[in-house]
């Protein structure tokens, strides 16, 4: 493969990666903790919303640390799912190159 062809392929991959990054901004995932807390994040892992079931206020009224733990678990779940989504999208669009690029974003 000559250098010019390699550069063209790299430019194509870079353009596709940029398009995927734009799409990930609008894609969402939901992380949960015990069905009581939901955290919505976009494909980059940016938190968009936090939802609590009404029972949370009643069940954790005296247990602030327990509520904090639930929130942390739901946030981590949402961020893990966002990371997996990003890697999946990169791999789907770019193959092996996508997996390498997915680790960079």
């Amino acid at each position: 493969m000559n250098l010019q062809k390699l550069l063209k392929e790299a430019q194509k991959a870079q353009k596709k990666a940029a398009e995927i990054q734009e799409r990930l901004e609008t894609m969402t995932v939901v992380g949960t903790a015990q069905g009581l807390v939901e955290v919505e994040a976009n494909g980059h892992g940016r938190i968009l919303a936090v939802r609590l079931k009404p029972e949370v206020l009643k069940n954790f009224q005296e247990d602030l640390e327990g509520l904090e733990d639930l929130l942390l678990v739901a946030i981590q779940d949402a961020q893990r799912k966002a990371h997996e989504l990003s890697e999946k999208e990169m791999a789907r669009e770019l193959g092996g190159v996508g997996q390498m690029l997915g680790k960079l974003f």
Side-chain angles (χ1 to χ4, degrees):
M1 182 181 283
N2 68 30
L3 184 59
Q4 191 162 354
K5 186 174 180 181
L6 185 62
L7 286 174
K8 276 190 176 189
E9 290 298 316
Q11 286 174 335
K12 274 195 218 176
Q14 189 176 26
K15 184 178 179 195
K16 272 196 181 265
E19 291 169 0
I20 294 166
Q21 292 301 314
E22 285 181 34
R23 274 201 325 260
L24 286 170
E25 188 69 36
T26 62
M27 299 172 89
T28 60
V29 295
V30 176
T32 61
Q34 297 182 7
L36 298 172
V37 177
E38 289 184 350
V39 173
E40 183 178 350
N42 71 8
H44 294 294
R46 194 177 108 235
I47 305 302
L48 303 172
V50 175
R51 290 181 285 282
L52 304 174
K53 299 285 182 181
E55 308 89 83
V56 170
L57 297 177
K58 191 173 26 173
N59 295 348
F60 291 91
Q61 202 168 22
E62 300 295 322
D63 185 11
L64 184 59
E65 191 174 304
L67 177 56
E68 290 169 343
D69 288 345
L70 278 180
L71 288 167
L72 184 59
V73 167
I75 290 167
Q76 289 172 337
D77 188 41
Q79 289 178 329
R80 178 187 55 78
K81 287 177 179 178
H83 181 75
E84 289 172 357
L85 175 65
S86 176
E87 284 187 340
K88 181 178 126 194
E89 289 296 307
M90 286 289 189
R92 185 171 58 89
E93 293 288 331
L94 298 171
V97 175
Q99 290 174 339
M100 289 187 315
L101 289 174
K103 293 184 188 312
L104 298 176
F105 295 100

